[in-house]
């Protein structure tokens, strides 16, 4: 092993920051040298800076400023930017998170440079290759040296794809570590007051390309959300993607519907904690509502997180079924079918990941192929 090996984390988009914070903190406690590379995939203050502040993440050692673009253009900028930075820093390990384009690009760059990698949130599958994230997940898992799974079904998905089980560790969910760490700060009252919300309310987040990019799909979705707003006031902290398309489809401020900028992490989860209902197409929000015990209706035909349905408060809905599902959820409240929460979603995923990484850096659990690459 090299003296004092460097671990680099590649982060680019909002959910990455939430997943990385507990891992960075736990590696710090073990005294491991590390740094964050921010790709700049997300760059608005409300999509990036606010998360570094809320989650106590250290300043990145580099920001590549890749910004937005088509998949090809954004990925190309990520590849060239990341290659330079990995060659400059020569890390012993690069840690990537989730399923965004920054994750995919980092894995490709490291595979070609023979730099070992770890993937946090490995093995999630929607089995829907029309989702850009599903493509990113499959490629990332195929090329990772260490795979950290958040839920048991991920293990069989990885085994079915021929991933060596010796590389895979079921560690729990670092996004839930962040939620647990924030819990003492999650107070709906000040956010409600700021937004002028009185009484029962719902929160909606919408940003999946399949929902917001196509005008027809956007119209169907907006009609469905208006159907919910007839029953309960709905606050929509809106992701920048599709903002204009959704506005054209009628998602605008009106009685019962409040469209606002994305919220910071603590404000958003505070609002969710006090909500009677969440409507979403987010991945992470399905998990957070399960842990907070808030009913969640996910407007998607599938989920890569089925454990939030079997062990949580999440239900899949279509735009057509959303208003009736909302009415039922508002009447029934939250119920978890199994009565049990997902295993290992206990706030200790970060330390588990850090311990595996520490052992791996020492060479205790290296596969022969990976061993040759760690100088
Ligand atoms: C990305 C991820 C998605 C994740 C989401 C989290 C991919 C392929 N998709 O989707 O899996 O759920 O992040 O939020 O990586 N924009 C801004 N300001 C920003 C960032 C984006 O205005 O700070 C706008 C731009 O118009 C941009 C669009 O949002 O074109 C999409 O951004 P992009 O990062 O390409 O994908 P997301 O939809 O955010
Ligand atoms: N989130 C937030 N403010 C918002 C909406 C979401 O802080 O206005 C947080 C949310 O609590 C979760 C993460 O962002 O931790 C999820 O990110 P997003 O929905 O953008 O991505 P996905 O999980 O779908 O990839």
């Amino acid at each position: 092993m090299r003296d004092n090996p460097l671990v680099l984390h590649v982060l680019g988009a909002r959910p990455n920051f939430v997943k990385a914070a507990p891992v960075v903190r736990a590696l710090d406690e073990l005294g491991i040298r590390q740094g964050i590379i921010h790709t700049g995939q997300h760059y608005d203050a409300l999509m990036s800076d606010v998360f570094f502040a809320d989650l106590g993440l250290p300043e990145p050692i580099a920001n590549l400023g890749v910004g937005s673009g088509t998949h090809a253009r954004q990925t190309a900028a990520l590849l060239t930017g990341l290659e330079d930075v990995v060659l400059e820093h020569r890390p012993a390990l690069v840690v990537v998170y989730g399923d965004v384009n920054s994750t995919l690009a980092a894995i490709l760059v490291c595979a070609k440079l023979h730099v070992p990698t770890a993937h946090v949130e490995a093995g999630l599958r929607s089995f829907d290759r029309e989702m850009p994230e599903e493509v990113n997940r499959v490629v990332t898992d195929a090329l990772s040296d260490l795979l950290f799974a958040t839920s048991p079904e991920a293990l069989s998905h990885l085994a079915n794809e021929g991933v060596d089980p010796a590389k895979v560790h079921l560690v729990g969910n670092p996004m839930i570590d962040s939620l647990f760490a924030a819990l003492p700060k999650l107070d709906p009252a000040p956010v409600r007051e700021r937004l002028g919300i009185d009484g029962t309310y719902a929160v909606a987040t919408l940003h999946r390309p399949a929902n917001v990019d196509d005008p027809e799909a956007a119209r169907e979705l907006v009609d469905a959300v208006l159907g919910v707003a007839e029953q309960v006031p709905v606050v929509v902290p809106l992701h920048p993607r599709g903002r204009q398309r959704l506005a054209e489809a009628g998602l605008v401020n009106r009685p019962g519907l409040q469209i606002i900028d994305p919220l910071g992490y603590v404000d958003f989860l505070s609002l969710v904690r006090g909500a009677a209902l969440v409507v979403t197409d987010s991945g992470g929000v399905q998990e957070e509502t399960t842990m907070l015990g808030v009913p969640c209706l996910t407007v998607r035909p599938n989920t890569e997180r089925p454990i939030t349905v079997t062990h949580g408060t999440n239900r899949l809905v279509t735009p057509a079924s959303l208003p009736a599902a909302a009415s039922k959820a508002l009447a029934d409240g939250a119920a978890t079918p199994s009565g049990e929460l997902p295993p290992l979603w206990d706030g200790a995923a970060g330390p588990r990941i850090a311990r595996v990484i520490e052992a791996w850096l020492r060479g205790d659990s290296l596969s022969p192929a990976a061993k040759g690459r760690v100088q």
Side-chain angles (χ1 to χ4, degrees), residues 13-15 41-44 47 68-69 71 74 99-102 132-133 136 207-208 239-241:
R14 176 165 76 178
Q41 178 175 345
H42 284 176
Y43 42 87
D44 289 345
M47 298 295 287
S68 308
H71 280 276
Q74 187 180 58
D99 53 18
V100 304
N101 283 350
S102 298
E133 294 83 0
N136 295 349
H207 74 276
R208 286 283 150 230
H239 191 289
R241 182 187 199 100

Side-chain angles (χ1 to χ4, degrees), residues 14-16 18-19 42 46-47 50-51 54 99-100 133 175 205 207-208 237-239 261-269 272 280-285 288 300 305:
R14 176 165 76 178
N16 292 162
V18 183
K19 292 162 198 173
H42 284 176
L46 291 175
M47 298 295 287
V50 69
F51 289 87
D54 279 4
D99 53 18
V100 304
E133 294 83 0
M175 189 165 240
T205 80
H207 74 276
R208 286 283 150 230
L238 199 53
H239 191 289
D261 279 338
L263 287 168
Y265 180 67
V266 170
D267 282 352
F268 178 73
L269 285 179
V272 166
T280 196
D281 56 13
S282 158
V285 174
E288 291 161 342
R300 283 181 44 189
R305 294 164 163 89

Side-chain angles (χ1 to χ4, degrees), residues 102-271:
S102 298
T103 310
L104 169 77
I107 279 288
L108 284 175
V109 162
C110 291
K112 298 293 180 78
L113 293 176
H114 302 175
V115 170
T117 47
H119 182 208
V120 173
E121 204 182 77
L124 295 189
R125 295 291 179 272
S126 66
F127 301 101
D128 174 1
R129 293 264 171 112
E130 286 185 18
M131 277 186 94
E133 294 83 0
E134 183 74 355
V135 176
N136 295 349
R137 291 179 197 121
V138 170
V139 175
T140 300
D141 287 336
L143 296 177
S144 295
D145 296 288
L146 279 174
L147 296 95
F148 293 112
T150 55
S151 62
E153 74 274 10
L155 304 182
S156 51
H157 297 155
L158 293 168
N160 291 341
E161 290 173 19
V163 175
D164 176 0
K167 296 183 188 172
V168 182
H169 302 264
L170 179 64
V171 290
N173 191 338
M175 189 165 240
I176 300 307
D177 289 22
S178 283
L179 173 64
F180 279 16
L183 267 183
K185 289 184 261 176
L186 301 188
D187 179 5
V191 196
R192 288 176 59 152
E193 197 177 308
R194 225 170 57 225
L195 297 172
I197 303 168
D198 223 7
T200 307
Y201 64 95
V203 176
T205 80
L206 306 163
H207 74 276
R208 286 283 150 230
N211 278 336
V212 307
D213 284 3
D214 170 63
E216 187 50 43
R219 227 179 344 263
E220 259 187 74
L221 179 64
V222 170
D223 286 349
V225 172
L226 292 175
V228 179
E230 283 169 13
Q231 306 172 47
V232 65
V234 181
V235 185
V236 190
L238 199 53
H239 191 289
R241 182 187 199 100
R243 198 176 279 169
Q244 196 181 336
R245 185 82 75 213
L246 291 170
E248 285 159 11
L251 198 76
V252 293
N253 283 318
R254 60 173 84 190
L257 190 59
Q258 196 174 354
I259 315 300
I260 59 173
D261 279 338
L263 287 168
Y265 180 67
V266 170
D267 282 352
F268 178 73
L269 285 179
S270 295
L271 199 62

